[in-house]
Amino acid sequence: MERVIAHIDRHHERQPRLDELARVAGLSVFHFSREFRRWAGLSPTRYLRTVALSVAKQELDDRGSVLAAAWAAGLSGGGRLHDLFVSFDAVTPGEYKNGGLGVRLRHGYAASPFGRIHAALSERGLAHLVFVDGSDNAALAQLKVRWPRATFDRDDEAIAALAAQIFIERRGEVTLSVAGTNFQVKVWQALLELGSRGPTSYSEIARAIGQPSASRAVGQAVGANPVAWLIPCHRVLRRDGGLGGYRWGVERKRAMLAWEHATSACARV
């Protein structure tokens, strides 16, 4: 699906045909249509129709805002677009400094619309959620870097239930209990707030935390985001409206924004 979304992104002006998209996916037209509908919730043809670039161009003409244009084009859907409520409860500076001493983390792996995830839950909430592009051992080692003195229990069932809540049911409440420096926590809180409204930028986040000249440091903190998707670093765009980079790959970022856009299209019907 990442390849297909990238192809649509490059060739949306000519509205590529269904058989062309199926070839990109390496599937028959029938199987591609079925898989795309299962992934996005609507048909490929209908998804193409929802990519309203003319709206984006008009938005640029009327308001001169690249971020507003990206929003109008559907790059972010429409806020959370569901009933999942996310609250933020960072660990204290002392808890962060001691590396999770006395903290028990239930961690495990599960599927998502954007690839396999590795996540960890403490008694206080979700501490970690990343996409796994390498081995399980490498993913666990990454978690242990942030929580070096914690105790780890494997619990794939709990993480599968979490993934279902976040990506399928998309309702209920999820509390984030993350570990980071004071500056990182400020950035993640601002990103959670701004990103829930639509696309944002590093400079907008920097202004939100009262440090307008700290865009570069903000970018580093965004890149260190320990909870993918829920702290929506995939919604941070360049000032010119381009996708920019993404810790877990630009193609995945494009697919995430497209999935949100598809969800928005379904919600409007």
Side-chain angles (χ1 to χ4, degrees):
M1 290 307 163
E2 289 178 4
R3 292 197 304 271
V4 171
I5 295 303
H7 189 79
I8 291 173
D9 189 60
R10 290 193 298 270
H11 304 292
H12 49 68
E13 299 94 341
R14 59 179 178 82
Q15 295 280 290
R17 292 168 56 89
L18 187 60
D19 56 350
E20 178 182 338
L21 298 178
R23 285 196 301 273
V24 172
L27 298 170
S28 70
V29 171
F30 172 77
H31 285 97
F32 168 67
S33 296
R34 185 179 64 181
E35 288 302 308
F36 192 95
R37 187 183 292 275
R38 183 180 64 82
W39 181 78
L42 73 173
S43 70
T45 303
R46 189 170 165 196
Y47 173 76
L48 274 168
R49 288 202 300 265
T50 69
V51 183
L53 294 178
S54 60
V55 176
K57 293 175 183 177
Q58 186 64 48
E59 189 72 28
L60 277 173
D61 291 339
D62 292 346
R63 296 170 60 181
S65 167
V66 173
L67 288 179
W71 173 252
L75 286 180
S76 64
R80 302 307 312 169
L81 293 172
H82 46 62
D83 298 321
L84 186 67
F85 178 74
V86 181
S87 58
F88 194 99
D89 179 26
V91 303
T92 67
E95 291 170 324
Y96 174 67
K97 187 175 181 180
N98 70 23
L101 181 65
V103 174
R104 183 173 295 275
L105 293 176
R106 291 181 295 146
H107 77 99
Y109 304 84
S112 86
F114 316 109
R116 200 156 179 254
I117 64 166
H118 181 222
L121 295 161
S122 72
E123 291 183 354
R124 289 166 56 179
L126 178 60
H128 183 80
L129 193 162
V130 301
F131 295 105
V132 179
D133 291 320
S135 69
D136 289 358
N137 287 337
L140 179 57
Q142 180 184 348
L143 174 62
K144 289 182 176 180
V145 167
R146 189 173 292 273
W147 298 88
R149 303 176 74 183
T151 301
F152 300 91
D153 295 325
R154 180 76 177 261
D155 191 343
D156 288 339
E157 185 175 345
I159 302 308
L162 172 73
Q165 179 189 6
I166 292 172
F167 296 107
I168 299 174
E169 300 163 6
R170 290 179 288 161
R171 62 181 64 252
E173 182 173 355
V174 176
T175 299
L176 308 182
S177 182
V178 298
T181 66
N182 289 336
F183 181 82
Q184 287 175 330
V185 167
K186 286 182 181 179
V187 169
W188 298 335
Q189 287 177 312
L191 178 54
L192 183 62
E193 173 64 23
L194 293 171
S196 68
R197 304 173 187 171
T200 187
S201 66
Y202 299 117
S203 58
E204 189 173 10
I205 296 170
R207 290 193 298 271
I209 64 172
Q211 299 188 46
S213 63
S215 293
R216 184 180 296 274
V218 164
Q220 293 172 343
V222 169
N225 173 21
V227 179
W229 182 252
L230 294 177
I231 299 178
C233 54
H234 62 283
R235 291 186 168 195
V236 180
L237 306 180
R238 295 198 311 249
R239 291 187 65 182
D240 64 1
L243 288 182
Y246 186 58
R247 176 179 171 185
W248 295 284
V250 173
E251 294 305 319
R252 178 177 276 127
K253 180 176 183 175
R254 183 181 283 110
M256 294 166 80
L257 293 171
W259 193 77
E260 288 185 318
H261 176 66
T263 304
S264 176
C266 290
R268 290 195 297 266
V269 174

